[in-house]
């Protein structure tokens, strides 16, 4: 492992003392019983707003390690849901204790309060100071030893985890970033899907796209599209958006972008006028269909809620979707100022979390306001004007000519770099200090799968031919940015949490015994990650599931006619046995029937028969789980996958 002398970017070492976070104090020290007995310690660092929480198991359950979870929006150091929906990243104390570890979490120094002046504080310094102090308490509790430490985090927490790997040495021994972005990912990874959502929704063609790529479909997702629709879909696909992610197109919107979109007008205020007036921007083309989608709607603020976040009730709202549009003040001292609308419930709206508080406070009951979607439309092609300086972030290369020069006018500011620096401290370099297991989801529409391949190339370039000694990569099929939280999502995607739990355990095995995790084999074609069909070829951690109906991916039957299903489930060699197989015959996200497994094996075949009483098209699902120790009863480290088929009932 390189020392600080070997790498000038290492800001924190095991022996260093942080000038800000060097005086820890404890506010709470008590034993708790749920979800299992543990000692809870909560405290902070004097003179700062930084807080930490440690959860220690009883000595008889401790195996000499800790799990340290991190996420930029952690408003508290305690295990709790984050301010935005991201269930898979919330700490699971039961799993940590079951893994013989104690749990560490901080508040990042109070919600990145110092990040504007010094992003390293929230990116890794508070975490590092807490991790080092946790070892002091662990030695007092369990006897003199050095606990192995494992830092992990998803999405924005993945940036923090990489920040810890690249800018510290000896604080943590292993790192597990998951569903991570690239140096320039945000906001392009969000904005790029908004353009095809608008264009293909005009004729409801996303339904045809999904039908083509679903099991038993025609396969050509461009077949029914016109020229503008094909171009929009091709752009988002070349950017890395996984086509299977369109399954929720009917309700899909800007997603997590709603939480950050308020930053764009603050950082790039002239973009709006440039988009609608200057050559090279879609809005400046008088023939572009985007002009037909622009609207303004005047109304009045009726009521402003107390507390935070503030909500605003409007007298009237348009009879069309207007989330992501801006609410513009027409009266008062702040007339002309606007804020992005993040959510709409009836006539009540709420602004994006990142909106300037001064603008929020400017809106008062009685104010005349205008709903204007000019910004919402303009941002849909922002990715074209944010081309990174290097072609290695290859999703943007579609926006370069044959000489590598950008095809579109570029903004002076690359906003992706600002987001990356705010969470990581710097841009990612790939020079890591410890072992890294990166876990990426293949159906993630927020952190595209190829971002993981990009970071792997960064590590290879920085660390040299032996980089695989410290780096491994898993791709998880049929997984998203978060666990599936709706019936529709459960019919298409599996829980990511089981793979992450096994990842932490395999990372510990790698660090503590030298046994490296099996990587997923893959290739990248036009910014889309492709994996082999069989478990033996694919590797990694996830079982492979195959499903047939009457012997094929597609079966056509009469109502009431039985359909014979056969499923083949196989775990990668030596990495678990099959412990569950569940059927959802209707494709409704409800797995009401479980297959009978005589014994836990690495490869099993399950069969079932089902008849459909009503005509229609159904997509039945077989979902399976593998568990490393073959424990069918434990809720932990159950690695899932699924397969679907198509049934046409006449």
């Amino acid at each position: 492992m390189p020392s600080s002398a070997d790498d000038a970017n290492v800001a924190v070492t095991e022996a260093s003392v942080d000038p800000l976070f060097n005086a820890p104090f404890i506010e709470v020290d008590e034993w708790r019983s749920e979800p299992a007995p543990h000692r809870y310690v909560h405290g902070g660092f004097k003179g700062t707003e930084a807080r930490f929480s440690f959860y220690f198991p009883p000595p008889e359950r401790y195996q000499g390690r800790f799990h340290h979870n991190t996420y930029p929006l952690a408003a508290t150091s305690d295990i709790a849901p984050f301010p935005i929906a991201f269930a898979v990243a919330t700490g699971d104390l039961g799993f940590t204790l079951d893994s013989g570890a104690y749990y560490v979490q901080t508040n990042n120094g109070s919600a990145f309060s110092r990040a504007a002046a010094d992003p390293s504080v929230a990116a890794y310094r508070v975490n590092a100071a807490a991790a080092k102090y946790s070892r002091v308490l662990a030695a007092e509790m369990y006897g003199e030893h050095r606990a192995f430490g494992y830092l992990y985090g998803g999405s924005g927490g993945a940036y923090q985890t990489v920040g810890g790997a690249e800018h510290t040495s000896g604080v943590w021994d292993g790192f597990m970033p998951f569903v991570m972005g690239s140096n320039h990912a945000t906001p392009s990874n969000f904005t790029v899907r908004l353009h095809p959502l608008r264009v293909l929704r005009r004729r409801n063609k996303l339904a045809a796209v999904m039908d083509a790529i679903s099991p038993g479909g025609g396969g050509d997702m461009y077949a029914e599209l016109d020229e503008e629709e094909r171009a929009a879909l091709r752009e988002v696909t070349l950017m890395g958006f996984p086509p299977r992610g369109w399954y929720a197109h009917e309700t899909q919107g800007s997603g997590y972008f709603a939480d950050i979109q308020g930053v764009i007008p603050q950082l790039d205020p002239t973009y709006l006028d440039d988009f609608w007036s200057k050559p090279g921007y879609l809005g400046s083309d008088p023939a572009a269909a985007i002009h037909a989608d622009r609207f303004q709607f005047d109304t009045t603020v009726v009521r402003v809620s107390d507390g935070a976040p503030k909500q605003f009730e409007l007298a009237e709202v348009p009879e069309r979707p207007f989330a992501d549009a801006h609410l513009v003040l027409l009266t008062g001292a702040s007339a002309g100022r606007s804020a992005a609308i993040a959510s709409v419930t009836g006539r009540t709206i709420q602004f994006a979390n990142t909106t300037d508080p001064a603008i929020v406070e400017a809106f008062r009951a009685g104010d005349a306001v205008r709903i204007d979607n000019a910004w919402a439309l303009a941002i849909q092609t922002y990715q074209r004007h944010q081309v990174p300086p290097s072609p290695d972030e290859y999703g943007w290369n579609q926006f370069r000519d044959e000489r590598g020069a950008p095809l579109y006018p570029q903004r002076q500011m690359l906003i992706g770099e600002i987001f990356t620096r705010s969470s990581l401290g710097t841009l990612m370099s790939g020079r890591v200090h410890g072992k890294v297991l990166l876990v990426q989801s293949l159906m993630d529409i927020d952190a595209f799968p190829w971002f993981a391949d990009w970071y792997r190339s960064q590590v290879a370039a920085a660390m040299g031919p032996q980089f695989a000694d410290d780096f491994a990569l898993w791709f998880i099929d049929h997984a998203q940015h978060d666990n599936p939280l709706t019936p529709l999502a459960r019919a298409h995607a599996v829980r990511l949490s089981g793979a992450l739990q096994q990842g932490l355990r395999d990372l510990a095995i790698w660090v503590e015994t030298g046994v490296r995790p099996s990587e997923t084999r893959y290739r990248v074609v036009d910014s889309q990650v492709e994996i082999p069909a069989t478990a033996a070829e694919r590797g990694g951690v996830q079982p492979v599931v195959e499903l047939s109906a009457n012997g094929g991916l597609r079966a056509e039957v009469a109502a009431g006619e039985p359909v014979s299903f056969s499923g083949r489930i196989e775990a990668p060699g030596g990495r678990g046995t099959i412990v569950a197989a569940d059927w959802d015959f209707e494709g409704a996200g409800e797995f009401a029937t479980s297959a009978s497994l005589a014994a836990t094996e690495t490869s099993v075949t399950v069969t079932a028969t089902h008849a459909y009483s009503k005509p229609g098209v159904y997509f039945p699902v077989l979902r399976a789980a593998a568990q490393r120790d073959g424990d069918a009863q434990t809720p932990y480290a159950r690695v899932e996958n699924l397969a679907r088929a198509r049934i046409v009932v006449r």
Side-chain angles (χ1 to χ4, degrees):
M1 178 183 297
S3 68
S4 58
D6 297 322
D7 187 345
N9 286 328
V10 174
V12 180
T13 67
E14 188 169 24
S16 65
V17 177
D18 195 292
L20 280 178
F21 310 108
N22 56 19
F25 63 88
I26 294 174
E27 293 178 323
V28 181
D29 188 343
E30 63 187 22
W31 280 90
R32 297 180 174 179
S33 59
E34 297 295 334
H38 64 278
R39 175 190 174 198
Y40 169 75
V41 177
H42 173 77
F45 294 95
K46 293 178 181 178
T48 77
E49 297 179 18
R51 297 293 182 269
F52 54 74
S53 293
F54 308 144
Y55 300 74
F56 295 102
E60 63 272 15
R61 298 195 62 186
Y62 179 60
Q63 297 176 17
R65 65 181 70 97
F66 68 87
H67 293 168
H68 187 157
N69 187 19
T70 189
Y71 188 62
L73 296 183
T76 172
S77 62
D78 288 340
I79 298 174
F82 300 119
I84 64 173
F86 195 19
V88 74
T90 304
D92 188 327
L93 181 57
F95 163 73
T96 297
L97 299 177
D98 189 67
S99 301
Y102 66 85
Y103 181 93
V104 176
Q105 186 171 312
T106 76
N107 69 343
N108 303 302
S110 185
F112 278 65
S113 62
R114 295 179 57 90
D118 185 355
S120 70
V121 168
Y124 53 85
R125 283 173 56 192
V126 172
N127 279 336
K132 290 195 284 187
Y133 182 56
S134 79
R135 282 197 177 101
V136 174
L137 297 187
E140 293 175 355
M141 180 172 178
Y142 303 117
E144 190 59 38
H145 73 294
R146 179 192 178 278
F148 291 102
Y150 304 100
L151 180 67
Y152 69 102
S155 194
Y159 286 101
Q160 288 182 284
T161 303
V162 170
E166 292 188 356
H167 300 309
T168 74
S169 177
V171 179
W172 299 279
D173 304 281
F175 306 86
M176 192 183 72
F178 60 96
V179 295
M180 71 176 290
S182 67
N183 276 336
H184 297 86
T186 307
S188 296
N189 54 324
F190 301 122
T191 61
V192 70
R193 73 168 175 254
L194 301 178
H195 180 55
L197 275 173
R198 176 180 58 83
V199 172
L200 273 73
R201 273 177 172 164
R202 291 196 197 111
R203 300 197 303 143
N204 192 30
K205 286 302 178 181
L206 284 169
V209 169
M210 274 306 301
D211 185 75
I213 65 175
S214 293
D220 182 1
M221 64 181 182
Y222 298 99
E224 297 187 22
L225 307 185
D226 63 26
E227 183 178 354
E228 183 187 19
E229 291 163 345
R230 283 194 298 271
L233 184 60
R234 187 176 299 111
E235 178 176 335
V236 70
T237 306
L238 286 174
M239 193 72 181
F241 185 102
R244 290 180 297 174
W246 291 120
Y247 75 84
H249 63 87
E250 291 186 1
T251 58
Q252 212 164 67
S254 58
Y256 293 112
F257 181 63
D259 294 297
I260 64 168
Q261 63 173 312
V263 173
I264 313 301
Q266 298 175 43
L267 296 177
D268 194 358
T270 63
Y271 175 71
L272 182 65
D273 289 339
D274 291 350
F275 176 84
W276 293 105
S277 63
K278 291 188 175 181
Y281 295 88
L282 180 62
S284 71
D285 180 0
I290 194 171
H291 294 282
D293 294 318
R294 188 171 179 179
F295 76 89
Q296 295 178 332
F297 184 92
D298 290 353
T299 184
T300 305
V301 177
V302 174
R303 185 182 64 85
V304 180
S305 69
D306 296 327
K310 287 188 179 296
Q311 295 183 326
F312 302 84
E313 182 183 344
L314 306 179
E316 296 179 280
V317 295
E319 295 182 358
R320 60 186 297 172
F322 62 95
D324 299 326
H326 277 223
L327 193 68
V328 185
L329 267 171
L330 301 180
T331 56
S334 298
R337 303 193 75 178
S338 69
I341 299 170
S343 65
V344 179
T345 305
R347 292 186 292 111
T348 300
I349 63 104
Q350 185 173 310
F351 295 137
N353 292 336
T354 49
T355 304
D356 183 346
I359 296 179
V360 176
E361 292 299 326
F363 287 86
R364 306 290 177 86
D367 281 340
V369 293
R370 173 174 295 155
I371 298 171
D372 189 332
N373 74 337
W375 258 110
L377 294 175
I379 208 69
Q380 293 176 2
T381 49
Y382 197 67
Q383 64 279 353
R384 299 178 182 178
H385 312 286
Q386 290 283 293
V387 177
S390 172
D392 59 3
E393 291 182 70
Y394 42 80
W396 281 269
N397 287 347
Q398 61 182 303
F399 307 131
R400 302 180 192 269
D401 63 20
E402 63 277 4
R403 297 166 299 161
L407 294 170
Y408 301 98
Q410 297 300 296
R411 310 305 296 169
Q412 291 185 351
M413 180 179 294
L414 289 172
I415 290 182
E417 294 186 0
I418 295 174
F419 279 106
T420 296
R421 292 179 190 277
S422 70
S423 293
L424 188 136
T426 64
L427 297 183
M428 288 181 271
S429 70
R431 180 164 294 280
V432 299
H433 305 90
K435 300 197 181 299
V436 177
L437 174 59
L438 171 55
V439 183
Q440 200 81 345
S441 296
L442 286 181
M443 280 178 57
D444 194 339
I445 66 173
D446 298 305
F448 299 150
W450 72 263
F451 292 156
D453 174 67
W454 168 81
Y455 189 65
R456 182 180 186 274
S457 70
Q458 297 299 107
V459 176
M463 304 293 287
Q466 305 304 314
F467 81 96
D469 292 345
D470 292 305
F471 184 87
L473 171 58
W474 284 349
F475 283 109
I476 308 300
D477 197 17
H478 295 105
Q480 309 176 119
H481 204 69
D482 199 354
N483 286 333
L485 302 178
T486 66
L488 177 62
R490 288 191 289 272
H492 290 263
V494 298
R495 289 180 286 260
L496 178 61
S497 52
L500 298 178
Q501 290 171 349
Q502 189 59 56
L504 282 170
R505 289 179 174 177
D506 280 4
L507 182 61
I509 291 171
W510 190 11
V511 167
E512 296 169 27
T513 72
V515 178
R516 183 175 183 269
S518 169
E519 282 197 291
T520 306
R521 299 180 186 91
Y522 69 96
R523 66 174 185 169
V524 181
V525 179
D526 293 334
S527 304
Q528 294 292 317
V529 174
E530 299 179 353
I531 54 177
T534 68
E537 295 174 306
R538 187 179 301 181
V541 70
Q542 191 180 25
V544 174
V545 185
E546 299 174 358
L547 176 62
S548 64
N550 288 350
L553 284 175
R554 177 186 179 119
E556 298 192 16
V557 298
E561 180 182 346
V563 180
S564 296
F565 293 100
S566 179
R568 178 73 174 171
I569 309 163
E570 186 176 6
R575 286 176 290 281
T577 55
I578 311 305
V579 296
D582 302 309
W583 296 98
D584 172 15
F585 295 114
E586 305 293 317
E590 302 295 336
F591 293 84
T593 304
S594 296
S596 176
L597 301 178
T600 54
E601 303 287 347
T602 60
S603 178
V604 300
T605 297
V606 295
T607 59
T609 302
H610 184 77
Y612 296 86
S613 61
K614 297 179 180 179
V617 179
Y618 299 85
F619 289 94
V621 187
L622 173 62
R623 184 182 67 194
Q627 212 278 338
R628 180 65 54 84
D629 300 320
D631 186 346
Q633 303 305 314
T634 181
Y636 305 126
R638 295 166 64 95
V639 184
E640 297 182 344
N641 205 347
L642 61 76
R644 302 165 69 234
R646 182 190 302 244
I647 310 298
V648 180
V649 182
R650 301 184 297 273

